[in-house]
Amino acid sequence: MTMTRDPQAWARLGRGLRESRERQGLTQDELAARAGVSTKSVQEAEAGKVPKARMPYTLAPIAAAVGWPAGAVEGVLAGAELPDGWQGVRPELGDDQLEAIVVNALVRATDNATGAEIRKAAKIAVDELRRHGLLRETDSAQLNESSGNT
């Protein structure tokens, strides 16, 4: 199998490894010790930099140390979903639908709040969901106008 040179695939792999490590509460040093590799190897893997020549031999032990199954690195680079639910955390709903749900919940939960106050609170909630990777980053942090008219 030919190693991909796609920078986006490598960046996605790096993000996935970092998220798996962070979810387990490990530092890069702790992961390196668990995997039997250098901290620099962990840093490079998480940076998602495309290797110059061949697949780094340190990727498999790093992936195994965060609980990924054998072959997961190659799978992720080929476009497969990330292991251990990192990508699966994303809701099946579209961003607009999720924003509407947040706004509707705030409307039901708040008494005597103005529309502007509810939209501000919804924006805070949606921004927090984005920060945690549950919503995509967008060019505009504005809520969908239709979701504010509930």
Side-chain angles (χ1 to χ4, degrees), residues 18 30-31 40 42 45 50-51 108 127:
R18 185 189 72 241
E30 291 166 335
L31 176 56
K40 184 177 181 188
V42 171
V50 179
R108 289 191 308 272
D127 287 346

PDB file of all heavy atoms in Angstrom, residues 18 30-31 40 42 45 50-51 108 127:
ATOM      1  N   ARG A  18      -4.108  13.154  19.176  1.00  0.00           N
ATOM      2  CA  ARG A  18      -4.100  14.109  20.282  1.00  0.00           C
ATOM      3  C   ARG A  18      -5.386  14.017  21.103  1.00  0.00           C
ATOM      4  O   ARG A  18      -5.355  13.978  22.325  1.00  0.00           O
ATOM      5  CB  ARG A  18      -3.906  15.533  19.758  1.00  0.00           C
ATOM      6  CG  ARG A  18      -3.779  16.553  20.909  1.00  0.00           C
ATOM      7  CD  ARG A  18      -3.799  17.998  20.437  1.00  0.00           C
ATOM      8  NE  ARG A  18      -5.148  18.328  20.022  1.00  0.00           N
ATOM      9  CZ  ARG A  18      -5.511  18.704  18.795  1.00  0.00           C
ATOM     10  NH1 ARG A  18      -4.624  18.814  17.838  1.00  0.00           N
ATOM     11  NH2 ARG A  18      -6.753  18.963  18.508  1.00  0.00           N
ATOM     12  N   GLU A  30       3.769  11.054  29.051  1.00  0.00           N
ATOM     13  CA  GLU A  30       3.187   9.801  29.535  1.00  0.00           C
ATOM     14  C   GLU A  30       2.843   8.865  28.377  1.00  0.00           C
ATOM     15  O   GLU A  30       3.076   7.656  28.459  1.00  0.00           O
ATOM     16  CB  GLU A  30       1.937  10.087  30.375  1.00  0.00           C
ATOM     17  CG  GLU A  30       2.248  10.756  31.695  1.00  0.00           C
ATOM     18  CD  GLU A  30       1.029  11.341  32.389  1.00  0.00           C
ATOM     19  OE1 GLU A  30       0.017  11.664  31.710  1.00  0.00           O
ATOM     20  OE2 GLU A  30       1.097  11.504  33.625  1.00  0.00           O
ATOM     21  N   LEU A  31       2.294   9.432  27.302  1.00  0.00           N
ATOM     22  CA  LEU A  31       1.986   8.611  26.136  1.00  0.00           C
ATOM     23  C   LEU A  31       3.262   8.035  25.530  1.00  0.00           C
ATOM     24  O   LEU A  31       3.307   6.859  25.162  1.00  0.00           O
ATOM     25  CB  LEU A  31       1.205   9.410  25.093  1.00  0.00           C
ATOM     26  CG  LEU A  31       0.904   8.679  23.778  1.00  0.00           C
ATOM     27  CD1 LEU A  31       0.157   7.368  24.028  1.00  0.00           C
ATOM     28  CD2 LEU A  31       0.132   9.589  22.841  1.00  0.00           C
ATOM     29  N   LYS A  40       9.316  13.424  21.412  1.00  0.00           N
ATOM     30  CA  LYS A  40       9.357  14.084  20.109  1.00  0.00           C
ATOM     31  C   LYS A  40       8.538  13.315  19.072  1.00  0.00           C
ATOM     32  O   LYS A  40       7.864  13.917  18.233  1.00  0.00           O
ATOM     33  CB  LYS A  40      10.794  14.248  19.631  1.00  0.00           C
ATOM     34  CG  LYS A  40      10.889  15.001  18.327  1.00  0.00           C
ATOM     35  CD  LYS A  40      12.317  15.234  17.896  1.00  0.00           C
ATOM     36  CE  LYS A  40      12.284  16.032  16.592  1.00  0.00           C
ATOM     37  NZ  LYS A  40      13.530  16.178  15.961  1.00  0.00           N
ATOM     38  N   VAL A  42       5.854  11.545  19.657  1.00  0.00           N
ATOM     39  CA  VAL A  42       4.450  11.853  19.946  1.00  0.00           C
ATOM     40  C   VAL A  42       4.109  13.247  19.429  1.00  0.00           C
ATOM     41  O   VAL A  42       3.065  13.452  18.797  1.00  0.00           O
ATOM     42  CB  VAL A  42       4.151  11.727  21.459  1.00  0.00           C
ATOM     43  CG1 VAL A  42       2.752  12.250  21.791  1.00  0.00           C
ATOM     44  CG2 VAL A  42       4.315  10.284  21.923  1.00  0.00           C
ATOM     45  N   ALA A  45       3.797  13.145  15.674  1.00  0.00           N
ATOM     46  CA  ALA A  45       2.580  12.442  15.256  1.00  0.00           C
ATOM     47  C   ALA A  45       1.358  13.339  15.427  1.00  0.00           C
ATOM     48  O   ALA A  45       0.504  13.429  14.540  1.00  0.00           O
ATOM     49  CB  ALA A  45       2.415  11.153  16.066  1.00  0.00           C
ATOM     50  N   VAL A  50       3.329  15.671   7.289  1.00  0.00           N
ATOM     51  CA  VAL A  50       3.545  14.599   6.314  1.00  0.00           C
ATOM     52  C   VAL A  50       5.014  14.178   6.383  1.00  0.00           C
ATOM     53  O   VAL A  50       5.907  15.017   6.266  1.00  0.00           O
ATOM     54  CB  VAL A  50       3.193  15.064   4.880  1.00  0.00           C
ATOM     55  CG1 VAL A  50       3.451  13.948   3.872  1.00  0.00           C
ATOM     56  CG2 VAL A  50       1.756  15.551   4.802  1.00  0.00           C
ATOM     57  N   PRO A  51       5.279  12.871   6.577  1.00  0.00           N
ATOM     58  CA  PRO A  51       6.675  12.410   6.623  1.00  0.00           C
ATOM     59  C   PRO A  51       7.374  12.617   5.288  1.00  0.00           C
ATOM     60  O   PRO A  51       6.747  12.579   4.236  1.00  0.00           O
ATOM     61  CB  PRO A  51       6.557  10.919   6.932  1.00  0.00           C
ATOM     62  CG  PRO A  51       5.143  10.659   7.253  1.00  0.00           C
ATOM     63  CD  PRO A  51       4.332  11.805   6.783  1.00  0.00           C
ATOM     64  N   ARG A 108     -37.678  27.376  26.149  1.00  0.00           N
ATOM     65  CA  ARG A 108     -38.519  26.651  27.108  1.00  0.00           C
ATOM     66  C   ARG A 108     -38.019  26.817  28.540  1.00  0.00           C
ATOM     67  O   ARG A 108     -38.804  26.759  29.478  1.00  0.00           O
ATOM     68  CB  ARG A 108     -38.576  25.172  26.747  1.00  0.00           C
ATOM     69  CG  ARG A 108     -39.374  24.886  25.484  1.00  0.00           C
ATOM     70  CD  ARG A 108     -39.635  23.403  25.295  1.00  0.00           C
ATOM     71  NE  ARG A 108     -38.448  22.567  25.358  1.00  0.00           N
ATOM     72  CZ  ARG A 108     -37.671  22.272  24.310  1.00  0.00           C
ATOM     73  NH1 ARG A 108     -37.959  22.744  23.125  1.00  0.00           N
ATOM     74  NH2 ARG A 108     -36.619  21.504  24.458  1.00  0.00           N
ATOM     75  N   ASP A 127     -21.080  28.093  20.676  1.00  0.00           N
ATOM     76  CA  ASP A 127     -19.628  28.305  20.658  1.00  0.00           C
ATOM     77  C   ASP A 127     -18.918  27.266  21.515  1.00  0.00           C
ATOM     78  O   ASP A 127     -17.847  26.768  21.150  1.00  0.00           O
ATOM     79  CB  ASP A 127     -19.272  29.717  21.139  1.00  0.00           C
ATOM     80  CG  ASP A 127     -19.608  30.790  20.127  1.00  0.00           C
ATOM     81  OD1 ASP A 127     -19.878  30.456  18.945  1.00  0.00           O
ATOM     82  OD2 ASP A 127     -19.619  31.984  20.512  1.00  0.00           O
TER      83      ASP A 127
END
